[in-house]
Amino acid sequence: MDAGSDSMSPERISRRCAPASRPPLQEAGSRPYMPSLCSASRNPAVKCYGDRFIPVRSAMDMDMAHYLLTEPRKDTKNAAMPSPAKEAYRKLLAEKLFNNRTRILAFRNKPPEPENNILAELRADAASIQARPAKKRRYIPQSAERTLDAPDLVDDYYLNLLDWGSSNVLSIALGNTIYLWNAANGSTSELVTFDEDDGPVTSVSWAPDGRHIAVGLNSSTVQLWDSTSKRLLRTLQGVHESRVGSLAWNGNILTSGGMDGKIVNNDVRIRNHAVQTYRGHEQEVCGLKWSGSGQQLASGGNDNLLHIWDVSMASSVQSAGRTQWLHRLEDHLAAVKALAWCPFQSNLLASGGGGSDRCIKFWNTHTGACLNSVDTGSQVCALLWNKNDRELLSSHGFTQNQLTLWKYPSMDKMAELTGHTSRVLFMAQSPDGCTVASAAGDETLRFWNVFGTPDAPKAAVKTSHTGMFNSYNHIR
């Protein structure tokens, strides 16, 4: 049998594992006791530190071994000094075994830093971000920048008597008269005064060119006026059976909504102007807004309904002159007048309900899903989006008659603007998107610098919009 598998008798094992006797003629305590490295022992008091041939490194005391090899012995006074040969041998042995080190693993110097220290770069970036000044919160004036008198303003929630055109001229209907206020120089002029048979004015809306204006009347007619020459261009008759309280432009199409519940698309370029009729409301249509793309129309009515109409369905789905709506939304509990399409998300619509509802709701007009609903605590009369930031402005009625600025989408209140003493029925936004005009039942028109100043205002590009009214050289 080979040496590795040689069996040994118990006598031999015990004899090998027995403590070794000390060498003779040695002073007690001159050398520390080193137990035998045996593989097994029957005596529990005897500790085994490994195999009889292969030592266990973890059981070795390297510091003690180094001390024994390098330090001279502490002999007694009469002990003889070690010979130079033994001293040289001890030093040579320590040098070969330990390489003049007291530890097996030790670094002479710190490990070098890598050339591209990613952690240092990240720390530098974090420090630079922290060093940047925080974005200052925009100052929002709490009082109106300007207040104008608006006598004879009709206090009617279902009408739309205020609009601000792209040429920076604001139009407001006061009783039977339409006034124009030029925001550039502050001048005021009268456009037209209607007689008692036609008046009062129930809606106004500027055409995209900023020169022509559509006027809805209590007599159920709609008129088109040139604001520069103050001439009547056209009268649209036979469209509605009662007053026209809402108007909205979509290119050459003027959409009108009346108390009869009908919504009519009028192409102002042709003689037979009524090209499409939407039927879905059972009561007065008080809110109309086309989306920015011109593909969808939102309509709100006194029947608490909100409809979304799609242009693509207008030509393909017809039944006895009736166009099917894309979505019929019945979540509001009061009349839906306040409507506003989001300028930075084309399929997002905000709607506001009347006194029994008091909620602002947000809709995905592609799916018809209600994304959020916020109870404002009072009647919602009008809504406007900030063109330069994610903010929404709402005007309200009783009890505070305030304008509230909301941060979207958190809907945290950023400011509440007070000053009106009656419900704020109408709002209009300046072409640059900074200033908002509000008209209330207290017969005042107030201007608020609520949306701040754009970072880089762009100069208005002069374009020709005369194509829509090229043929109107005389009154029809």
Side-chain angles (χ1 to χ4, degrees):
M1 300 179 71
D2 55 80
S5 63
D6 184 23
S7 61
M8 301 178 67
S9 64
E11 291 81 9
R12 293 182 64 184
I13 294 176
S14 62
R15 188 165 57 251
R16 289 194 177 190
C17 293
S21 59
R22 297 178 183 176
L25 303 178
Q26 294 289 333
E27 186 175 355
S30 61
R31 287 180 59 86
Y33 170 68
M34 297 292 290
S36 174
L37 300 176
C38 64
S39 59
S41 176
R42 294 183 179 181
N43 185 3
V46 177
K47 299 180 179 180
C48 295
Y49 290 87
D51 189 84
R52 63 184 184 275
F53 298 118
I54 303 175
V56 179
R57 184 176 295 273
S58 62
M60 297 181 181
D61 191 346
M62 303 305 295
D63 292 336
M64 179 60 71
H66 179 270
Y67 172 78
L68 294 177
L69 288 173
T70 57
E71 297 295 326
R73 299 188 182 188
K74 297 180 180 179
D75 296 334
T76 57
K77 295 180 180 180
N78 297 328
M81 294 294 294
S83 63
K86 289 184 177 181
E87 190 69 25
Y89 171 75
R90 185 167 55 248
K91 291 181 179 180
L92 181 62
L93 183 61
E95 181 180 356
K96 295 299 182 182
L97 291 178
F98 300 104
N99 196 20
N100 294 325
R101 293 182 298 180
T102 58
R103 295 182 180 274
I104 298 300
L105 297 177
F107 293 104
R108 293 182 182 273
N109 300 313
K110 291 181 66 177
E113 292 289 338
E115 295 182 1
N116 297 326
N117 195 338
I118 299 178
L119 183 59
E121 293 179 0
L122 292 177
R123 288 175 179 173
D125 293 342
S128 63
I129 292 174
Q130 293 177 356
R132 295 174 186 172
K135 184 179 179 180
K136 294 183 179 179
R137 186 172 181 177
R138 185 179 78 250
Y139 171 70
I140 303 173
Q142 298 298 305
S143 58
E145 185 178 14
R146 177 178 297 189
T147 302
L148 302 177
D149 289 330
D152 299 327
L153 179 70
V154 180
D155 188 358
D156 192 329
Y157 177 80
Y158 304 101
L159 305 184
N160 293 272
L161 305 178
L162 183 69
D163 197 20
W164 204 327
S166 59
S167 60
N168 206 18
V169 177
L170 183 139
S171 62
I172 184 171
L174 303 179
N176 295 342
T177 304
I178 295 179
Y179 292 92
L180 305 178
W181 182 79
N182 192 322
N185 53 30
S187 62
T188 303
S189 61
E190 178 182 326
L191 177 63
V192 59
T193 298
F194 298 95
D195 55 28
E196 295 295 334
D197 293 336
D198 292 329
V201 179
T202 53
S203 56
V204 293
S205 180
W206 283 100
D209 59 5
R211 175 179 176 179
H212 301 91
I213 186 170
V215 180
L217 298 172
N218 192 59
S219 61
S220 77
T221 60
V222 177
Q223 294 187 358
L224 303 178
W225 286 79
D226 187 326
S227 63
T228 304
S229 61
K230 297 182 181 180
R231 291 188 305 113
L232 175 64
L233 300 177
R234 188 173 185 181
T235 299
L236 308 179
Q237 294 179 337
V239 177
H240 296 280
E241 300 172 3
S242 55
R243 69 179 186 180
V244 181
S246 54
L247 296 169
W249 286 92
N250 185 18
N252 299 318
I253 301 298
L254 173 62
T255 304
S256 59
M259 184 179 279
D260 54 9
K262 290 195 302 183
I263 301 171
V264 180
N265 285 343
N266 301 276
D267 191 335
V268 299
R269 299 168 298 179
I270 61 180
R271 181 177 297 275
N272 298 325
H273 50 83
V275 295
Q276 191 65 49
T277 301
Y278 302 105
R279 298 181 183 270
H281 291 281
E282 299 175 357
Q283 297 186 36
E284 182 172 14
V285 178
C286 51
L288 280 178
K289 281 291 189 301
W290 281 98
S291 64
S293 63
Q295 296 300 308
Q296 291 185 333
L297 172 69
S299 65
N302 193 30
D303 50 7
N304 308 345
L305 295 178
L306 171 63
H307 285 99
I308 306 298
W309 312 85
D310 196 276
V311 171
S312 61
M313 299 179 66
S315 58
S316 60
V317 182
Q318 291 252 358
S319 176
R322 175 175 178 173
T323 300
Q324 182 67 26
W325 55 77
L326 178 63
H327 298 295
R328 182 186 180 99
L329 308 172
E330 304 177 0
D331 292 29
H332 282 290
L333 303 177
V336 183
K337 176 196 173 186
L339 299 172
W341 289 92
C342 180
F344 52 83
Q345 187 173 340
S346 61
N347 63 326
L348 178 61
L349 174 71
S351 63
S356 300
D357 183 76
R358 306 180 302 275
C359 290
I360 299 175
K361 297 182 184 296
F362 298 90
W363 309 89
N364 182 335
T365 59
H366 289 171
T367 63
C370 183
L371 306 177
N372 192 12
S373 180
V374 179
D375 190 345
T376 65
S378 59
Q379 181 186 50
V380 183
C381 301
L383 292 171
L384 286 175
W385 286 96
N386 187 347
K387 297 179 181 179
N388 307 307
D389 207 343
R390 294 175 181 262
E391 298 170 355
L392 180 69
L393 183 68
S394 59
S395 67
H396 300 271
F398 183 80
T399 59
Q400 293 186 347
N401 307 311
Q402 83 282 10
L403 281 72
T404 303
L405 182 63
W406 309 83
K407 186 66 177 179
Y408 184 82
S410 65
M411 292 305 288
D412 295 329
K413 288 185 180 180
M414 300 181 62
E416 285 193 341
L417 311 178
T418 58
H420 284 292
T421 57
S422 182
R423 57 181 180 175
V424 187
L425 295 168
F426 319 111
M427 287 198 303
Q429 192 172 11
S430 62
D432 62 4
C434 300
T435 306
V436 170
S438 63
D442 58 8
E443 298 186 346
T444 61
L445 177 63
R446 298 173 186 263
F447 296 86
W448 312 83
N449 186 17
V450 62
F451 289 142
T453 303
D455 294 335
K458 296 181 180 180
V461 179
K462 295 184 179 180
T463 57
S464 176
H465 297 277
T466 58
M468 191 189 313
F469 300 96
N470 280 340
S471 60
Y472 299 149
N473 296 322
H474 60 277
I475 299 176
R476 291 190 181 183

